[in-house]
Amino acid sequence: MWSRGRRTLLAQPGPSRILPLLLLLLLLPCPALLAHIKKAGATATATAPAPGAPAEPAPGPGPESAGPFGRYYHEAELGAELAAAARPGLGRLYSLGRSLEGRPLWVLRLTAGLGGQGQEQDPATVGPDPGPRIPGRPQVKLVGNMHGDETVSRQVLVYLARELAAGYARGDPRLVRLLNTTDVHLLPSLNPDGFERAQEGRCDPAPADGRAGRYNSRGHDLNRSFPDQFGTGEPPALDEVPEVRAVMDWIRSNNFVLSGNLHGGSVVASYPFDDSPQHKTSGIYSRTDDDEVFKYLARSYASKHPIMKTGDPRCPSDEDETFKDGITNGAHWYDVEGGMQDYNYMWSNCFEITLELSCCKYPPASQLRQEWENNRESLITFIEKVHIGVRGFVKDSTSGSGLENATISVAGINHNITSGKDGDFYRLLVAGTYNITAVSVGYMPMTVSNIVVQEGLVTEVNFLLRPTVILSVEPKTSVPSVAPVTDAPETTASHQPIQPQDFHHHHFPDMEIFLRRFANEYPNITRLYSLGKSVESRELYVMEISDNPGVHEPGEPEFKYIGNMHGNEVVGRELLLNLIEFLCKNFGTDPEVTELVRSTRIHLMPSMNPDGYEKSLEGDSTGVVGRNNSNNFDLNRNFPDQFFQITDPVQPETTAVMSWLKTYPFVLSANLHGGSLVVNYPYDDDEQGVTSYSRSPDDTVFQHLALSYSKENSEMYQGSSCKDMYPDEHFSHGITNGANWYSVPGGMQDWNYLNTNCFEVTIELSCIKYPYEKDLPKYWEQNRRSLIQFMKQVHRGVRGFVLDATDGRGILNATISVADINHPVTSYKSGDYWRLLVPGTYKITASARGYNPVTKNVTVKDEGAVQVNFTLVRSSSDSRNKSNKIKEIIADSGTSDPTTKEFETLIKDLSAENGLERLMLSSSPNLALYRYHSYKDLSEFLRGLVMNYPHITNLTNLGQSAEFRQIWSLEISNKPNMSEPEEPKIRFVAGIHGNAPVGTELLLALAEFLCLNYKRNPAVTKLIDRTRIVIVPSLNPDGRERAQEKACTSPMGRTNAHGKDLDTDFTSNASQPETRAIIENLIQKQDFSLSVALDGGSVLVTYPYDKPVQTVENKETLRHLASLYANNHPSMHMGQPSCPNKSDENIPGGVIRGAEWHGHMGSMKDYSVTYGHCPEITVYTSCCYFPSAGQLPTLWAENKKSLLSMLVEVHKGVRGIVQDKSGKPVSKAVIVLNEGIKVHTKEGGYFHVLLAPGFHNINAIADGYQQQHSQVFVHHDAASSVVIVFDTDNRIFGLPRELVVTVAGATMSALVLTACIIWCVCSIKSNRHKDGFHRLRQHHDDYEDEIRLMATGSKKSLLSHEFQDETDTEEETLYSSKH
């Protein structure tokens, strides 16, 4: 049976090649295929009657004499019959639109008191107007003939219209009551085109048969064409299925409460969900949150149907198929993706079930009377079920006007509905007792408890919501509270703080509304935020309470409570909700509360395991149901342990909390449990894993903290409170060392102490894990003083700041160590630190990398923390003994111009905690991302930006793709296309893989966001004025055009048109036009400070290198940039991408070196770093390469803050100018940092390089100048500015010029003297020749005598001198050439 949603195995109607396939199927019937097709029908003509049905009558008279049941109504007659039923004051015929072939989609509305034309309506001209809504009257709709060849429903709905109209006219009490109280809408044929193609008597034609009529005129199954929560593919474009679009618009424009979708091919009532995440063909029960309601509705129909109620329809296609009570869960029967009933439930207030009315889809008209008799009572009974559950109005308590779109939430059922235009609501519920809450924006929520719903009846409940009055935020100098602190009354014996009133168990929807209520009612001291989601996607809420919520105030400690880590230990959850109420209501009036909130930033997490809580049972004393999370892991055995390897996978709740602790500078914490009455302190285990005292270095501090809680709880302090349950258990003064009680490897409190600055204890609050609601006030009374006193302990010990002696700025991550206590803590961003200690005298040392440590003796007293500040001197000798030609410009120097100082302040503000959140809140509203841009759309979008914002944008064509599409580059700056070398330049690139276009859409959104906010938002305006932003939205446009939406893992479109993965082509001999365009026009210009590439396929960030290398230069900076992006993303930093194909992947911090993840050669970021001297990170934005367009708004919201953080980060690091002594800029100088990173100065001598916070070595080299070197300190929230002044290079041959000149002068003197001596000797010789002293050599003996005679003289031998003349001349030339 191809019924409400049987998944089609055959192709949809198409080319003529289908015909041979059909013939083959007819010739070779396959049992497996028939079983899958389901309800194959009887024969191609008539159907044998099912058991219990009357035998098929003999052929009767023709249509003219057969009465209303003797024929099927085609278009004209259908319209006439519906118009006839639209009686004056009772009915109105309207149209939703038209089918593909132009047939009207008629709807008949029936309800008493309806103004309309009635019988005067012409079906051919009716419009879309259904008439006015009637407040307080619930809307029901019935839809027939969705599959054109399933025709019984088309006729039955016409018969129903006649019955209702005629019954009302004759005064039938039941039908009069029904139409007086119900607004009924009947749509007999959603697929009139298919009906006209279908053939009477064909019981189960194959869908691919073009004559079958199942599909619409474009070959689409309308019951596979709706958006689906578990969808794996893209539904057809709405232009292909105008029938579906018409119904979706119909549902959105009304407030339907109940609906039936009438089909054929079996006899059963099917209810949601129709599919499951696994999409297994059948056998998976896919349960909604309203499963009991849906079963009740399905039974109400089936129980009145003579065949359906048997559960044994005996359809010829599958005679053995049975349905208990005649009902079935849709997905359990067979999986239907894109069905209408699920769409109703997920996207509207409407509860819809699918009703299969007959085994034969298009039975002969002679069977229509029997089909009407089978379904008449069921249809009327089903409509009546709209009047079960709870109904009423939500109104403004002041004006009495109805509140539209108020949310109605039922505790324990995670499915909300909303009120209609007049504030009316209808919530279908089975018999039971419920707590229901109504909430509307701008109003205080209201909860009505213990509402009793009786079987088959509706209970009326009205909500009057009080408008919320938001007090204006006062300047920071005053306390943002209900009353100024100066007006707070003094502590007197008569003063009593306001106690909480809300004592009941809060299921998740109730808790969520409670938290939103207090965040809404006390906005000046509260901030509600989420750490992430649980396994079942419940928010992990935290309520912050502070006099300056959302901001870490330097010097103010941060405190946290965590409750409900074990889902069935609930007292902590309720106590923290009580504490929120207590703090909020008493701030500004109670001095103790006011001082605590003013001096402490308090974070309260009521439930770390909301999934487990929903499974737990009230009254549970010692059980384990709900203890673990939804993956069945104990969260308090899930943290990394110092003694044992924890092999269980880290759970999302654990990851969220660990990330939270790394984000905030928590000082003190308590983890609230149940099942005993004791405060338990570290360590929780030891190396042997046995029960024995496991002492931490701060054992005395922990004992003090534990006692501060137990002393205020008299029952806990006496130590044997649970003796009825545990008679042998005793805790001295109500405290115990964890491991001495029992060993807990993988506990949260030890992880806090060993991995953060936070001291945490575990508090067992009650002997009973899940006490009854009536006992909750008792637990508040026992623990309220303890909760307050424990928070106060955060103000004990030592606190202060660690400062830089050079500029007075705080030093981040300085280490504060206490002699003889092996547990150092570190300072936060402003240099502030807190070190819990008991009273005593201590030797405390502050140290930091690059500074000389400082030690002080400190006496800690019992009253509050003692403040001790440390000022550290930089230990580097560069500033004193090396070059003094590199000057670091102190940020607060008076030499800065006002606009520069103003911009530096902006960067600090945006770098502060929640700085970017404030920027986003103050910017223009969120963008409407609803579709992907094709290449043509993208080009037009970019041109549109340039046309609308010509003063800050410039569009450039970098080159063409392999298929000759343009590779666009958009520059955004206050002077686009002009050289501004003093400004940092950042590059965003997306679409290197065409099948991952999310990055493209995010960059288009970023560009529009920046343009929209220019000159409107001061922060965005200043960022654009001071930054050159280059956006390349699609590097691989050819691949993008081939990729398909919702193809999460498909490689189609990944490569360019030549089949080349572009991220392997960034080499010195790049072969592809796309890569050459980027290399030549962007990377090789070497003028970028930062590059961010966006890709898909996971949720993480990678940094260079992608190729395998032994060492990574500048690794700390590259990792810092990647971590910055991940930490500003709501889930990326958790390191659990949870991608379906890699569900166990764990990436610490969400950051990893490319080669350690998916290493490859020729990547863009490797080329950028190596040849462009620009750091580049790659961001993977989603597990799915090409998710549905519906996910784009969420992806933009997730990445918006991270993208903006890159615009802020590009203004940090080291910036400077290089010049000579005369002030002339030196361009093309080489700046070498940490003996590895090289950048070149630009025109004007400017340079800029991003570096991780801390000390860095800097060397400056230029031809003709002396090399300069020093150290520079980089701050986390500002750029370090330096000026490098070059001296002319006085070195010759590597030696000082003075030495070379001295040596050269001495050499010249020696040469001159030698020359004089030679001249004298030569002169003497010449004179002898002239005076006749030279004798002719007549005899050899005479010649020898002459030699001997001359050798005895005072000068060197003339003969020898003559032989050396030529050599001397050469030496003279050599020396002269060196001058």
Side-chain angles (χ1 to χ4, degrees), residues 227-257:
D228 192 280
Q229 60 172 332
F230 305 125
T232 58
E234 178 71 11
L238 292 178
D239 289 341
E240 296 281 305
V241 283
E243 302 89 349
V244 170
R245 175 164 51 194
V247 169
M248 290 169 60
D249 291 343
W250 187 37
I251 293 170
R252 283 195 293 262
S253 60
N254 287 275
N255 192 24
F256 291 114
V257 180

Side-chain angles (χ1 to χ4, degrees), residues 897-971:
D897 65 273
T899 57
T900 299
K901 285 185 68 67
E902 185 179 348
F903 186 72
E904 290 172 350
T905 301
L906 172 66
I907 295 299
K908 288 181 182 178
D909 290 343
L910 294 178
S911 301
E913 186 183 337
N914 298 315
L916 289 170
E917 283 92 337
R918 289 193 293 272
L919 166 62
M920 293 188 293
L921 288 172
S922 64
S923 58
S924 292
N926 285 332
L927 307 176
L929 278 74
Y930 61 94
R931 65 181 179 91
Y932 285 96
H933 292 77
S934 65
Y935 169 74
K936 180 182 177 182
D937 293 339
L938 180 144
S939 301
E940 292 175 353
F941 179 90
L942 294 173
R943 293 190 190 102
L945 281 182
V946 175
M947 291 176 63
N948 283 281
Y949 303 96
H951 301 300
I952 60 169
T953 58
N954 182 62
L955 188 61
T956 305
N957 173 21
L958 300 179
Q960 291 186 329
S961 67
E963 292 181 342
F964 305 107
R965 293 182 175 90
Q966 311 294 337
I967 300 174
W968 297 113
S969 171
L970 177 72
E971 180 181 347

Side-chain angles (χ1 to χ4, degrees), residues 552-558 665 667 757 798-803 809-816 825-835 867-870 913 1276:
H552 172 75
E553 298 180 73
E556 184 173 276
E558 308 219 7
V667 180
N757 293 333
V798 179
R799 65 182 178 89
F801 291 82
V802 183
L803 307 172
R809 295 167 65 99
I811 299 173
L812 174 66
N813 286 329
T815 299
I816 292 85
V825 298
T826 56
S827 60
Y828 196 51
K829 293 178 180 179
S830 299
D832 41 349
Y833 76 91
W834 305 265
R835 210 318 175 175
Q867 177 150 346
V868 180
N869 296 333
F870 294 88
E913 186 183 337
H1276 73 279

Side-chain angles (χ1 to χ4, degrees), residues 699-952:
D699 192 66
T700 56
V701 176
F702 277 116
Q703 288 187 44
H704 169 84
L705 294 171
L707 282 168
S708 73
Y709 193 98
S710 70
K711 281 182 178 179
E712 298 291 335
N713 185 324
S714 58
E715 192 173 350
M716 183 185 290
Y717 189 70
Q718 57 98 4
S720 300
S721 304
C722 301
K723 56 188 176 183
D724 293 339
M725 299 172 62
Y726 310 105
D728 298 329
E729 196 169 68
H730 177 78
F731 306 105
S732 178
H733 300 307
I735 70 171
T736 183
N737 174 262
N740 198 45
W741 185 16
Y742 59 92
S743 181
V744 178
M748 182 166 69
Q749 71 175 12
D750 287 6
W751 192 88
N752 271 263
Y753 181 66
L754 294 167
N755 294 276
T756 75
N757 293 333
C758 188
F759 287 47
E760 180 171 283
V761 300
T762 302
I763 305 174
E764 305 282 346
L765 295 164
S766 61
C767 301
I768 307 297
K769 293 184 177 182
Y770 199 147
Y772 289 102
E773 190 170 279
K774 63 181 177 60
D775 295 325
L776 292 179
K778 176 189 72 174
Y779 289 110
W780 168 251
E781 189 58 33
Q782 288 174 351
N783 288 278
R784 63 183 180 86
R785 289 306 309 159
S786 297
L787 290 166
I788 297 296
Q789 285 302 317
F790 186 77
M791 283 194 285
K792 288 183 176 181
Q793 305 310 304
V794 77
H795 295 285
R796 292 190 174 273
V798 179
R799 65 182 178 89
F801 291 82
V802 183
L803 307 172
D804 185 320
T806 305
D807 56 13
R809 295 167 65 99
I811 299 173
L812 174 66
N813 286 329
T815 299
I816 292 85
S817 54
V818 181
D820 302 324
I821 301 179
N822 186 22
H823 184 78
V825 298
T826 56
S827 60
Y828 196 51
K829 293 178 180 179
S830 299
D832 41 349
Y833 76 91
W834 305 265
R835 210 318 175 175
L836 299 181
L837 292 167
V838 296
T841 300
Y842 301 91
K843 184 179 288 186
I844 302 178
T845 300
S847 59
R849 180 171 169 260
Y851 292 89
N852 295 320
V854 172
T855 300
K856 294 185 178 183
N857 291 319
V858 178
T859 299
V860 175
K861 298 182 180 179
D862 199 31
E863 60 276 3
V866 58
Q867 177 150 346
V868 180
N869 296 333
F870 294 88
T871 301
L872 306 188
V873 176
R874 299 185 187 183
S875 59
S876 170
S877 58
D878 287 276
S879 60
R880 300 187 305 271
N881 302 326
K882 291 187 179 181
S883 171
N884 61 359
K885 302 298 181 181
I886 297 183
K887 298 186 295 183
E888 184 175 349
I889 302 174
I890 307 303
D892 58 358
S893 168
T895 59
S896 298
D897 65 273
T899 57
T900 299
K901 285 185 68 67
E902 185 179 348
F903 186 72
E904 290 172 350
T905 301
L906 172 66
I907 295 299
K908 288 181 182 178
D909 290 343
L910 294 178
S911 301
E913 186 183 337
N914 298 315
L916 289 170
E917 283 92 337
R918 289 193 293 272
L919 166 62
M920 293 188 293
L921 288 172
S922 64
S923 58
S924 292
N926 285 332
L927 307 176
L929 278 74
Y930 61 94
R931 65 181 179 91
Y932 285 96
H933 292 77
S934 65
Y935 169 74
K936 180 182 177 182
D937 293 339
L938 180 144
S939 301
E940 292 175 353
F941 179 90
L942 294 173
R943 293 190 190 102
L945 281 182
V946 175
M947 291 176 63
N948 283 281
Y949 303 96
H951 301 300
I952 60 169

Side-chain angles (χ1 to χ4, degrees), residues 390 410-413 429-436 448-454 459:
V390 176
V410 181
I413 301 178
L429 292 168
V430 295
T433 303
Y434 301 92
N435 297 331
I436 302 181
V448 179
S449 301
N450 301 319
I451 300 171
V452 176
V453 174
Q454 297 180 357
T459 300

Side-chain angles (χ1 to χ4, degrees), residues 474-491 524-525 546-548 556 583 586-599:
E474 298 294 327
K476 191 173 177 180
T477 53
S478 65
V479 179
S481 62
V482 178
V485 169
T486 53
D487 295 336
E490 298 296 326
T491 303
N524 294 334
I525 61 168
S546 166
D547 66 334
N548 197 2
E556 184 173 276
L583 294 175
N586 287 287
F587 178 75
T589 58
D590 181 81
E592 182 181 43
V593 170
T594 302
E595 178 57 28
L596 186 62
V597 173
R598 288 182 60 203
S599 61

Side-chain angles (χ1 to χ4, degrees), residues 354-373:
T354 301
L355 302 163
E356 306 281 348
L357 302 183
S358 62
C359 289
C360 183
K361 293 184 178 181
Y362 200 157
S366 59
Q367 296 182 18
L368 289 176
R369 179 186 296 274
Q370 185 61 53
E371 294 297 347
W372 164 241
E373 293 300 329

Side-chain angles (χ1 to χ4, degrees), residues 46 225 254 262 283 348 378 461 502 565 572 631 642 655 673 855 899 990 1091-1092 1126 1149 1151 1292 1304 1316 1378:
S225 299
N254 287 275
L262 279 54
S348 77
S378 293
V461 179
D502 192 349
M565 186 182 201
N631 288 334
Q642 62 176 326
T655 301
H673 282 248
T855 300
T899 57
S1091 177
V1092 180
V1151 169
I1292 302 175
C1316 291
K1378 292 183 179 179

